[in-house]
Amino acid sequence: MISVQGLAKTYAGGNVRAIDGVDFQVETGKIFTLLGPSGCGKTTSLRSVAGLEQPDAGEINLFGETVFSSTRGISLHPSKRKIGMVFQSYAIWPHMTVLQNIAYPLKGKGLSRAQIESKAREALRMVDLEGFEDRPAPKLSGGQQQRVALARAIASDPRIFLFDEPLSNLDAKLREEMRGHIRALQRKLGITSLYVTHDQVEALSISDFIAVMEKGKIVEVGAPRDIYLHPTSRFAAQFVGLTNIMPAKLRHGDAGDTVRVDLPFTSLLCQGLTTKAHSKGDSLMVLLRPENVRVSSSSFNCETNEWRGRVISSIFLGEFIDCTIACGDFQVRARVNPFHQFEDGAEVYLHIAPERFSLLTA
Amino acid sequence: MSQIAEIATGGQIVRRAGLLSLSRRLTWRHGALAIIALVVVYLTLVPLGMILYGTLTDGPPGTGASFTLQNYVRAYGSPDIFRAAFNSVSFAVLSGIISFIIGCYLAWVTERTNTPFKGVIYIAVLVPFLVPGILTTISWVFLLSPNIGLINKVAESLFGLDKPPFNIYSFAGMVWTFGIDHITLPFLLMAAAFRSMDPTLEEAASISSMGPLRQFYQINLKIMFPSILATCLLLFVRGIETFEAPAVIGIPAGIPVFATEIFLALRRAPTDYNLAGTYSTAYLLITVIGVLLYLRVTRVAEKFATITGKAYRPRVIDLGTWRYGVLCLTMLVLFIGVFLPLAIVLWASFMPFYAQPSWHMLSMATFANYVAVFELDEFYRAFWNNLVTGVSAATIAVLLSVGIAWIVIRTDIPGRKMLDIIAFTPIALPGVVLSLALLWLYLTVPLPVYGTLWILIIAFVTKFIPISLRVVHASMLQVHKELEEAAELSSSSWLRNLFSIVVPLILPGLLVGWLYILTLTFKVLSIPILLSHVGTEVLPVLIFSLYQSGGITELCAMGVILTIFIAVVAGLTRLISARFAIKAGE
Ligand SMILES: Nc1ncnc2c1ncn2[C@@H]1O[C@H](COP(=O)(O)OP(=O)(O)O)[C@@H](O)[C@H]1O
Ligand SMILES: [Mg+2]
């Protein structure tokens, strides 16, 4: 288990607050992702856990052992924290062969040469790189280097894995493949993992839990499904996926799990949601994912949640059509099945199922 | 959660965290770094302090003298010091102009024109880098001396003159000798500047309606100005600290410059350390100004995006038939500047006694000088001393540079920038001043250094650290921080990680720096001339003393052998740097 409390770190003599009170816990065997835009402090948090960065304040516990504590003056050397780390640049030592790369961390640990070699080979086998033992490291492709980095992290039986944007230097196809690979390996070994990325798809697909970070702080933690479907912060809603955010007011008082809200151009019925707003007239934000908007040139003949709008633009993207539709003063983005075809300026009908909204207190 | 965050940013905790990071900093790794820093400070600042101390006392080093301002009154009260200053500065400026014009012209020819035989030109310009300055200076005496100068003799018989047209023993002779010998440096720097100029800038200018002259001024000159200035300033610093030409030509011609005035003050009986020290202060002032300006200009040059980083393929100017004219001029320059000095030394090395080249003398050519050199005990001793001091100094300088570069690049220890600057200061220390400072130090401090090879090693290390530091620094910047951190995750031994990850990765750079320093120790005279004693001479000193005692033909043979040795080492350096695509920083 990884437990991080009150982590803070400034750079440039206190002028840059890289992270500012970061707390999170990673349960044993789970993979936990720090997700956020570039510069929000993900790397700094990860490197603090690794011991490569010295936080100004906070406490870090790994499986009950305090490895860093500013108040108690504890700071364990990175090598004492039993960590396997995969760096963004892979950090494969170019002057060594594949096997030497993997064996280096095993040396000086009281193992015999034969033991080191068999452990290294075992790690290589796990990343499907058998037969590459004597290849000089620079003679590998990006994906292969990534695997060597992974094998090197595995080989020394770490308690935890740390990943810093490990896939960002790979092309799209390979990224998807490696994502699955890392996920499978992590499951198989059951190693508690901390993963850093700015790519929401990567985070959603790989994680057990995601922490969304903004400006050095964690704004929201949750399972991928919850983060995406029911974000509890505007930032998370906007950063993870595309969202229409519409200001609304509660029409009735506390109404259980079905509420009616008023938008400037229409009113909506929202189902299966609870909000913290309880009294009539409370301001809310309605979050609506583009893929939940149904668009048609003829009326759906539904009593609820049907609006009329005018197509401003529609861009054909293959998998879907990215439509922007004007509803009153508001512009709604919608993802439409590619077989549809809408002229710009055409009048269309929009329909959203009552249970496919999220509400946020404004 | 928010409570913790509040505490975390509270002043008290932050202060404690500061203490914590300090205690973590005080591992033995930082002990090692502290030792490196101390060594650097000791090598550079202590001798300087010693010289300043010396100028304020009234006795030679090591005597319990009392404080006085008398030395300053004596030195600055006499016009001699101002004459030396004037001579030094005008010598450096004028010889720098010669070097720059010729070097820049050659760089233009090879980089920007379609003149044939560029490869030959390129190699020929590099040759002066291989020849010790003392040898080229002497060779110019062979060429331009009023009595025996080859060029004088040829000119006399060709034009029927009754008087030799040139006299090497003059200010002009000194300026010419040094200037023509230093064309390689401006050549390399300006060639790099030409190469890093974005040709689209020129193309943009040609599309616009600028005339060619205006275009040259507006675009080429303005863009290249920082490089030009930096090159000139470097030449100025080199010129002002050089010893060979002022000693071989200036002393007999009675033209005092700082370097020779200090040398003579120490050679005179009674030795006047205090006066030499006082001269050094004025001398230092000038070199420090030169170096500071140089650093300023190079910083500006780095800001000029067009001049750094990317290498372009510059637009080649088609000279048409003019290119044969340019070729002739270039060949003439190289014939006079590079070939003649080498050829006359080579010629003399085969002569039984010094004589003008002629068919008659050719029949008397002999290997006797070479045989004599190889039978000379002093030669072996000097070579051995040179090798020992060169190898030790290069090794120590490179290792210290690894430590300094690591501190500067990888840590956030306060004062690391200062360390960088301190390690760089010897660039402003002329060889004779450094030697004087070391003499003073080790005549005062009771360490067994004075009169041994150690003092030479210390001097070489100090003087050449800036060079190795630049090479090592550049190589270490190429090593991604994460490569080191990946190792840190697996082993807490800093030294083990340093030597198994970082050092192997920068090894080509280290080797290039090492070999370059080694060749320098075989070439430089200004440092060992004051520090070598009987038994601790190095080769340039031996050549100089052979010259003074008239062993001219033997000296030439020795010079040829030395040049071949340096060429081999330099060839090795080039091979390594070409193989690993490293540029040995100048
Ligand atoms: N060594 C450093 N010196 C100064 N500022 C830094 C340093 N490292 C990171 N920062 C700053 O701290 C902030 C967080 O950086 P980082 O943790 O790398 O963000 P992320 O990994 O989320 O992109 C950024 O604003 C960054 O510029
Ligand atoms: Mg990052």
Side-chain angles (χ1 to χ4, degrees):
Chain A
M1 199 179 87
I2 306 170
S3 158
V4 170
Q5 283 178 327
L7 217 55
K9 168 89 187 165
T10 58
Y11 287 110
N15 294 326
V16 179
R17 275 178 195 273
I19 48 174
D20 190 5
V22 165
D23 308 65
F24 61 85
Q25 300 215 332
V26 185
E27 286 166 40
T28 305
K30 299 290 191 220
I31 182 162
F32 185 95
T33 298
L34 298 174
L35 171 67
S38 164
C40 72
K42 308 177 297 286
T43 298
T44 308
S45 310
L46 189 84
R47 289 167 53 81
S48 300
V49 174
L52 297 171
E53 210 74 64
Q54 187 84 0
D56 300 335
E59 189 161 316
I60 302 168
N61 287 286
L62 303 181
F63 296 91
E65 181 192 7
T66 306
V67 295
F68 177 81
S69 166
S70 57
T71 46
R72 283 187 281 155
I74 297 170
S75 181
L76 234 59
H77 188 271
S79 65
K80 303 278 187 316
R81 300 188 182 194
K82 304 202 189 80
I83 280 169
M85 183 159 172
V86 177
F87 291 86
Q88 187 166 10
S89 66
Y90 313 142
I92 297 298
W93 298 306
H95 58 303
M96 298 183 183
T97 65
V98 168
L99 200 69
Q100 285 168 338
N101 256 284
I102 299 170
Y104 183 81
L106 297 169
K107 287 179 185 154
K109 295 214 157 88
L111 297 172
S112 73
R113 282 180 72 119
Q115 277 173 312
I116 289 176
E117 179 155 347
S118 83
K119 263 180 168 299
R121 282 180 193 280
E122 167 69 16
L124 265 185
R125 201 180 52 72
M126 275 197 263
V127 297
D128 295 333
L129 271 185
E130 288 159 299
F132 284 83
E133 286 83 355
D134 299 321
R135 196 69 86 80
K139 293 250 162 76
L140 295 175
S141 70
Q144 289 166 336
Q145 292 197 13
Q146 179 69 80
R147 283 163 199 252
V148 175
L150 202 54
R152 185 176 63 188
I154 296 169
S156 47
D157 299 324
R159 286 190 298 197
I160 60 172
F161 270 159
L162 302 177
F163 298 91
D164 188 1
E165 313 233 5
L167 308 180
S168 60
N169 289 330
L170 300 177
D171 59 51
K173 271 251 156 52
L174 209 53
R175 203 179 308 161
E176 212 166 301
E177 187 189 320
M178 279 308 293
R179 207 161 70 198
H181 209 86
I182 290 178
R183 182 68 176 135
L185 205 63
Q186 191 271 338
R187 282 272 158 79
K188 188 166 130 201
L189 300 171
I191 296 185
T192 313
S193 304
L194 186 57
Y195 193 99
V196 158
T197 181
H198 68 271
D199 182 325
Q200 35 134 346
V201 178
E202 204 173 306
L204 292 171
S205 64
I206 214 166
S207 326
D208 292 310
F209 290 97
I210 296 175
V212 180
M213 287 187 75
E214 182 195 12
K215 291 185 187 148
K217 289 192 164 79
I218 291 181
V219 291
E220 184 170 349
V221 182
R225 208 184 153 78
D226 295 330
I227 292 273
Y228 190 80
L229 295 180
H230 304 296
T232 58
S233 67
R234 191 187 168 119
F235 180 79
Q238 279 181 316
F239 186 73
V240 185
L242 197 63
T243 317
N244 295 293
I245 300 185
M246 299 175 284
K249 284 206 182 342
L250 201 61
R251 180 177 288 187
H252 306 292
D254 189 359
D257 70 348
T258 301
V259 294
R260 185 165 276 281
V261 298
D262 283 323
L263 267 61
F265 57 94
T266 184
S267 80
L268 288 174
L269 196 68
C270 303
Q271 211 173 54
L273 307 161
T274 47
T275 114
K276 282 182 211 141
H278 290 301
S279 43
K280 181 172 161 24
D282 274 358
S283 286
L284 295 172
M285 274 184 291
V286 174
L287 309 180
L288 175 59
R289 297 284 182 192
E291 63 270 27
N292 293 330
V293 182
R294 293 171 66 201
V295 181
S296 168
S297 45
S298 54
S299 170
F300 292 90
N301 292 321
C302 288
E303 284 160 27
T304 54
N305 297 0
E306 182 173 318
W307 321 319
R308 273 201 306 187
R310 192 174 289 283
V311 175
I312 296 177
S313 75
S314 67
I315 302 162
F316 182 77
L317 293 174
E319 286 171 63
F320 57 85
I321 300 171
D322 182 3
C323 268
T324 308
I325 299 156
C327 302
D329 286 342
F330 215 81
Q331 294 191 355
V332 177
R333 294 275 290 272
R335 291 189 169 182
V336 181
N337 185 294
F339 279 96
H340 287 286
Q341 214 169 352
F342 298 112
E343 299 294 323
D344 285 1
E347 186 141 298
V348 288
Y349 294 84
L350 288 75
H351 176 256
I352 299 101
E355 69 280 6
R356 297 208 168 169
F357 292 101
S358 272
L359 294 180
L360 275 184
T361 319
Chain B
M1 184 199 271
S2 63
Q3 200 184 351
I4 294 170
E6 260 175 51
I7 293 174
T9 50
Q12 198 186 355
I13 305 286
V14 171
R15 221 173 299 131
R16 262 195 243 163
L19 260 185
L20 164 83
S21 30
L22 193 70
S23 74
R24 198 196 167 197
R25 270 190 213 132
L26 293 177
T27 56
W28 78 268
R29 162 181 98 173
H30 292 97
L33 297 181
I35 289 172
I36 289 170
L38 278 179
V39 168
V40 170
V41 169
Y42 173 76
L43 285 177
T44 53
L45 296 190
V46 171
L48 271 181
M50 220 47 218
I51 246 189
L52 277 182
Y53 166 80
T55 59
L56 293 170
T57 57
D58 66 351
T63 61
S66 56
F67 279 98
T68 171
L69 283 176
Q70 192 49 43
N71 299 316
Y72 283 91
V73 175
R74 194 154 56 104
Y76 289 92
S78 133
D80 290 356
I81 195 166
F82 299 102
R83 204 154 60 103
F86 178 79
N87 285 342
S88 288
V89 171
S90 45
F91 166 74
V93 168
L94 293 174
S95 62
I97 290 173
I98 291 179
S99 310
F100 182 79
I101 290 175
I102 297 176
C104 188
Y105 164 76
L106 292 169
W108 177 77
V109 168
T110 56
E111 295 296 328
R112 297 299 311 264
T113 71
N114 61 342
T115 308
F117 302 118
K118 277 188 204 173
V120 177
I121 299 171
Y122 198 89
I123 291 176
V125 186
L126 292 183
V127 167
F129 248 17
L130 307 176
V131 188
I134 178 67
L135 202 63
T136 352
T137 311
I138 292 170
S139 72
W140 278 104
V141 173
F142 295 159
L143 291 172
L144 292 179
S145 129
N147 300 326
I148 58 163
L150 175 64
I151 293 177
N152 278 329
K153 294 286 167 236
V154 171
E156 273 173 59
S157 63
L158 222 56
F159 303 112
L161 305 172
D162 51 1
K163 214 163 64 161
F166 301 108
N167 180 7
I168 185 84
Y169 296 109
S170 63
F171 189 73
M174 211 163 102
V175 166
W176 168 256
T177 303
F178 183 78
I180 194 70
D181 192 26
H182 281 73
I183 56 175
T184 315
L185 181 66
F187 169 80
L188 290 175
L189 294 177
M190 292 314 292
F194 280 127
R195 236 173 287 141
S196 59
M197 200 163 80
D198 187 348
T200 52
L201 287 175
E202 276 183 6
E203 279 154 23
S206 349
I207 291 167
S208 77
S209 53
M210 270 185 209
L213 257 181
R214 186 125 175 265
Q215 177 190 329
F216 176 76
Y217 172 72
Q218 286 284 342
I219 305 297
N220 301 43
L221 211 58
K222 274 197 178 168
I223 291 176
M224 299 195 48
F225 187 68
S227 310
I228 293 173
L229 205 59
T231 307
C232 290
L233 281 165
L234 202 57
L235 283 171
F236 174 78
V237 172
R238 287 281 164 93
I240 208 127
E241 64 169 312
T242 195
F243 178 75
E244 286 86 346
V248 171
I249 300 166
I251 293 179
I255 304 163
V257 296
F258 275 130
T260 45
E261 285 290 273
I262 293 169
F263 171 73
L264 290 176
L266 294 175
R267 279 296 156 92
R268 230 177 268 135
T271 316
D272 199 339
Y273 283 100
N274 305 74
L275 189 69
T278 318
Y279 265 84
S280 299
T281 55
Y283 194 5
L284 263 177
L285 193 69
I286 296 173
T287 54
V288 165
I289 290 173
V291 167
L292 286 181
L293 283 175
Y294 168 74
L295 289 179
R296 245 199 108 74
V297 170
T298 46
R299 258 217 312 274
V300 172
E302 272 159 24
K303 280 194 196 129
F304 264 63
T306 37
I307 286 296
T308 51
K310 231 157 146 188
Y312 297 95
R313 180 169 294 276
R315 214 164 40 136
V316 166
I317 302 163
D318 187 354
L319 294 176
T321 44
W322 275 102
R323 66 188 204 266
Y324 298 107
V326 169
L327 179 67
C328 284
L329 179 62
T330 308
M331 286 304 168
L332 184 69
V333 167
L334 293 174
F335 177 77
I336 296 174
V338 179
F339 177 77
L340 268 188
L342 268 188
I344 194 78
V345 167
L346 198 64
W347 167 264
S349 75
F350 289 108
M351 289 296 107
F353 50 88
Y354 186 77
Q356 303 292 340
S358 66
W359 290 115
H360 168 66
M361 286 310 296
L362 189 61
S363 64
M364 292 173 69
T366 162
F367 279 104
N369 293 315
Y370 290 91
V371 174
V373 167
F374 283 116
E375 280 175 352
L376 201 65
D377 284 342
E378 282 102 328
F379 173 71
Y380 289 102
R381 197 169 63 197
F383 186 81
W384 177 246
N385 287 342
N386 220 151
L387 202 63
V388 169
T389 52
V391 166
S392 320
T395 309
I396 297 170
V398 165
L399 285 180
L400 280 175
S401 301
V402 169
I404 300 165
W406 198 86
I407 292 174
V408 172
I409 295 173
R410 289 283 192 260
T411 72
D412 51 3
I413 297 173
R416 64 190 188 285
K417 295 229 174 74
M418 200 64 215
L419 182 64
D420 202 23
I421 292 170
I422 291 173
F424 200 70
T425 47
I427 201 98
L429 268 177
V432 284
V433 175
L434 175 63
S435 307
L436 174 63
L438 291 177
L439 283 177
W440 213 304
L441 179 61
Y442 293 107
L443 283 171
T444 312
V445 180
L447 287 174
V449 170
Y450 176 77
T452 69
L453 289 180
W454 278 110
I455 199 163
L456 268 177
I457 295 174
I458 291 171
F460 286 151
V461 169
T462 310
K463 182 69 191 167
F464 298 137
I465 268 191
I467 292 171
S468 59
L469 185 56
R470 276 217 226 168
V471 179
V472 173
H473 189 104
S475 319
M476 206 180 276
L477 276 180
Q478 311 273 315
V479 178
H480 198 299
K481 185 173 77 162
E482 290 185 346
L483 287 172
E484 236 180 302
E485 290 174 342
E488 215 185 323
L489 282 178
S490 53
S491 165
S492 62
S493 165
W494 172 67
L495 269 185
R496 178 185 169 221
N497 290 337
L498 191 68
F499 277 94
S500 34
I501 306 294
V502 183
V503 170
L505 287 176
I506 59 173
L507 200 60
L510 299 188
L511 219 54
V512 167
W514 190 86
L515 288 169
Y516 185 55
I517 292 178
L518 184 66
T519 57
L520 284 178
T521 64
F522 277 88
K523 287 184 344 193
V524 65
L525 177 63
S526 63
I527 292 173
I529 190 68
L530 288 176
L531 298 178
S532 282
H533 287 252
V534 181
T536 67
E537 318 85 338
V538 289
L539 284 174
V541 174
L542 188 57
I543 291 178
F544 186 58
S545 59
L546 275 178
Y547 178 71
Q548 286 180 317
S549 61
I552 286 190
T553 51
E554 221 168 273
L555 164 173
C556 286
M558 198 181 287
V560 169
I561 296 167
L562 178 56
T563 303
I564 290 171
F565 173 78
I566 293 171
V568 169
V569 179
L572 210 61
T573 317
R574 254 192 112 64
L575 258 174
I576 293 169
S577 52
R579 173 100 197 259
F580 295 96
I582 293 169
K583 289 204 188 89
E586 172 42 52

